[in-house]
Amino acid sequence: MTPDQLAGLIGAPPVPLGSWAREAVYGSPVAFRTASGRPPREVAEEIAVRLRGHGGVEEVRVRPDGFLLITVGCPGEVVREIVRKGPPEIRERAALAPDFPRTWDNPGFVVRYAHARAAAVQRWARGLGVPEEGFRPELLDDPHDRAVLRLLAELPTRAAGRDPAWESYAGQLALAYHDAHEHAPAVPVGDRPVTGVHTARLWLATAVRTVLVAVLTPELPERL
């Protein structure tokens, strides 16, 4: 279940909450906006009942104030949606900071390097025989993968907001992807065989590239 799919059910995209290291939780104040004089919690309980009947929704809780907490079972589905449908419409891209100095303190370098790393994953995957077919989003369950998913899931609410802060967002996504690239390898290491997780991380790399280009510029480098 993705933010867009949830938006179709409740009327607006929910916001990802927490780290997602253990569970993928979205929050939504939709009951406040649709209460029309009724107690928000009562409205939220009705929405929760509808949501609990949908596949992909693992749990729905209602806070005393009527705020919805929605746990999804497979957060990796957001990758499939981005790769196949593209990200939400971006009204205005962020300016890209200068490339130099090439240090971790420079967001211009950080995002360029993340894009180049994601592009490298695609090249290496072709060379090592990692198939693009057979994407299994549930395999993106390493905490480093999930940190990237958590940020990808912010796209709909940021795109719909007045101040999406794309430059800051791109930097956060890039840093999370660097951690995933280093700690959750996207291609086989040494003599290890190709498995489904490598295909899943190939798709993750593609999603990260797609989003960075969408919020910044198509001129991001494929190599550094």
Side-chain angles (χ1 to χ4, degrees), residues 128-208:
L128 293 170
V130 177
E132 293 184 15
E133 299 78 16
F135 173 59
R136 294 173 56 194
E138 71 274 12
L139 296 180
L140 293 172
D141 61 353
D142 183 277
H144 298 92
D145 295 326
R146 292 172 71 97
V148 179
L149 299 177
R150 163 67 174 74
L151 285 159
L152 292 175
E154 289 185 18
L155 275 170
T157 47
R158 283 185 178 266
R162 294 181 180 179
D163 182 15
W166 290 128
E167 184 177 3
S168 172
Y169 170 75
Q172 294 173 48
L173 177 61
L175 286 172
Y177 185 67
H178 285 303
D179 285 343
H181 184 84
E182 293 173 8
H183 300 290
V187 293
V189 177
D191 295 330
R192 294 182 180 178
V194 173
T195 68
V197 74
H198 300 117
T199 294
R201 289 173 180 162
L202 171 58
W203 278 59
L204 184 66
T206 302
V208 168

Side-chain angles (χ1 to χ4, degrees), residues 36-125:
S36 299
R38 297 171 61 198
R41 181 168 184 176
E42 179 181 306
V43 176
E45 292 286 2
E46 293 174 359
I47 296 171
V49 170
R50 295 201 307 269
L51 287 174
R52 291 179 184 123
H54 285 271
V57 175
E58 199 166 79
E59 181 184 19
V60 185
R61 290 166 283 162
V62 179
R63 292 196 323 207
D65 61 358
F67 192 81
L68 283 164
L69 297 171
I70 307 161
T71 303
V72 299
C74 186
E77 286 289 353
V78 71
V79 168
R80 190 197 307 275
E81 189 166 84
I82 291 170
V83 172
R84 289 188 171 174
K85 295 174 55 178
E89 180 182 355
I90 307 301
R91 293 189 297 272
E92 185 175 350
R93 286 186 168 104
L96 182 60
D99 188 7
F100 292 92
R102 287 186 168 178
T103 67
W104 293 109
D105 295 326
N106 176 17
F109 164 70
V110 169
V111 296
R112 285 177 174 87
Y113 189 24
H115 185 270
R117 278 182 147 178
V121 164
Q122 293 176 310
R123 293 194 302 271
W124 298 338

